[in-house]
Amino acid sequence: MNVQVYKPASAFRLITVMLVLLSVTFVLVWRAVDLHVVRKAFLQDQGDARYLRELPLAAHRGMITDRHGEPLAISTPVDSVWVNPAEFAVAQPQWPKLAKLLNLDVRDMVTSIAQRQDKEFVYIKRHVEPARAERVMDLGIPGVSLQREYQRYYPMAEVVSHVVGFTDIDDQGQEGLELAFDKWLSGEAGSQRVIRDRLGRVVKHVELLKKPRPGQDLALSIDRRLQYLAYRELKRAVIGSGAKSGSAVILDVKTGEVLAMVNQPAYNPNNRGNLQSQKVRNRAVTDVFEPGSTIKPFTVVAALQSGNYNPDSLIDTAPGYYQVSGNTIRDVRNYGRINLTRIIQKSSNVGASKLALSLEPKKIWRVFDQLGFGMVTSSGFPGEAGGVLKPAATWGDIEQATLAFGYGLAVTPLQLTRAYAAIANQGVIKPVSFVRVNEPVQGKRIIDAKVARNMVNMLETVTNEGGTGTRARVPGYRVAGKTGTVKKVMSDGYTAEKYIAVFAGMAPASNPRIAMVVTIDEPSGEDYYGGQVAAPVFSRVMGGALRLFDIAPDNLVNDNIKFASLRDKAAGEHP
């Protein structure tokens, strides 16, 4: 029988075990000190970086209103869906659900994420309505988050689209007054610190770092009631005449404010999926045209201001045509010897051109220049055209003669309206304003007050019996204005098949308050004269404007009034 004798461990082994235990204990203690003391701030920052985020706070863009405070452009809250690709990648089986909810092609979404794998922030869908955004978050997909933004909404849609314009998806102005006043309307974004959970949802608002500053509101001079009326009547005329396009501008002659401005074709700024340049541009300020006979009143103004003529001065237009530099200028008939008032009433090309050739070119040019032809109106509208007015030194006899009845220069509808407003305002021209004017604006006298008054009286004969613009009448009011029918220039010269029909005028003639110009481009029906196509639009819109602005009638004693809707083929001789 063998008996094993227990031998106590050697001192070396005991010391070794104790040293190992002490070392482990030291390492653990040092690790705890390192984590809780030495590297506490760093580790806290790393943890916060994963759950404590600094988020932007979108700034509310200023509202655009009409002159009475009615909204024309407002910002509504929406959410944009974004993802962190690294976290989102682990939830691929749920991607089709997200794509379906957001009306996206899942293949496009996969491609977009794959191209931005190195990013931490990738938009999936911008401007999602809050209710749908909430359903997105209810899916509980890792890495999916929301960001609050604002989307522009235009209550009047295409009725005021050319004036107001629109913003892009980042709420920055792209067209119209949204662009012109972008800095004024734009706010300044703020920021806040929040805690997110593992799904990216905000669970706690920790700190407001910077308060957002909302944009400032903008009150326009536009009257939305008049704007709608002008839009409706212009669209009706363009469609009814089969025209290519049309424009209408209405100004307050006392303040220079734009009360309404419409174009056809128009577009809906709330649905910009298929915008076309021919619909987006504001033709009333960007497109120029030869004004035709609507320029004759300013030729007569130059003659009256020369001191050599008065409204009863006679010009011999017989036999109804004459030669200038090898070119024939014609009237529709032989008017014989007629005075300046009759030249305007019957729209005599011969009379206007002979009158112009009797004046120094510089005197005519000076009147046209002071009226603002050949330069922008300084309205501040983006893309405004200045038109064309050649220097007087370059005029030959034929240029001077044709300029007298509206050929050889180019104007915008806004420029032409402003010029008629100057006559209506007793010869004082005002700056054009798209913004509501609260204080009286100083104008500049460019026409003698007596000459301007005589001109209004002469223009009134155009809408009276025997004039070319009888369809521009407004029941109960005296109306002054001028018709124009302009041959369009094509690649091979002026055509006898395409025209621009124009009517420019003011009311009430006893003390004009409102000036308006209507242009209809390429009416395709049998009626294409300004007195037939554009004048009725003027009548219906001007009648509404006078009532909306509570302007007292000045022609109640005249019961023999024809409404613009009546078709009077015998009215005038050269509409």
Side-chain angles (χ1 to χ4, degrees), residues 484-486 496 499-502 520 523-533:
T485 307
V486 189
Y499 298 87
I500 299 176
V502 190
I520 308 292
S524 60
E526 294 182 0
D527 296 339
Y528 57 85
Y529 290 115
Q532 295 172 325
V533 182

Side-chain angles (χ1 to χ4, degrees), residues 216-255:
Q216 301 181 76
D217 293 343
L218 181 66
L220 303 186
S221 57
I222 297 293
D223 184 298
R224 73 184 185 95
R225 302 166 301 174
L226 183 56
Q227 180 78 11
Y228 175 75
L229 176 61
Y231 163 83
R232 184 189 69 190
E233 295 301 332
L234 180 68
K235 185 172 184 177
R236 173 179 163 185
V238 169
I239 294 175
S241 64
K244 178 181 177 181
S245 62
S247 297
V249 181
I250 305 174
L251 293 181
D252 185 321
V253 304
K254 303 299 182 183
T255 65

Side-chain angles (χ1 to χ4, degrees), residues 446-478:
I446 58 171
I447 302 173
D448 181 78
K450 182 179 179 181
V451 170
R453 187 65 248 172
N454 284 335
M455 197 69 248
V456 172
N457 293 334
M458 295 165 75
L459 288 169
E460 191 176 359
T461 66
V462 174
T463 64
N464 291 338
E465 290 301 323
T468 61
T470 55
R471 295 177 191 171
R473 291 176 176 179
V474 176
Y477 293 88
R478 293 165 53 191

Side-chain angles (χ1 to χ4, degrees), residues 475-502:
Y477 293 88
R478 293 165 53 191
V479 174
K482 184 70 186 75
T483 57
T485 307
V486 189
K487 293 181 179 180
K488 294 193 68 173
V489 180
M490 308 304 288
S491 58
D492 55 348
Y494 288 101
T495 176
E497 298 178 352
K498 295 182 178 181
Y499 298 87
I500 299 176
V502 190

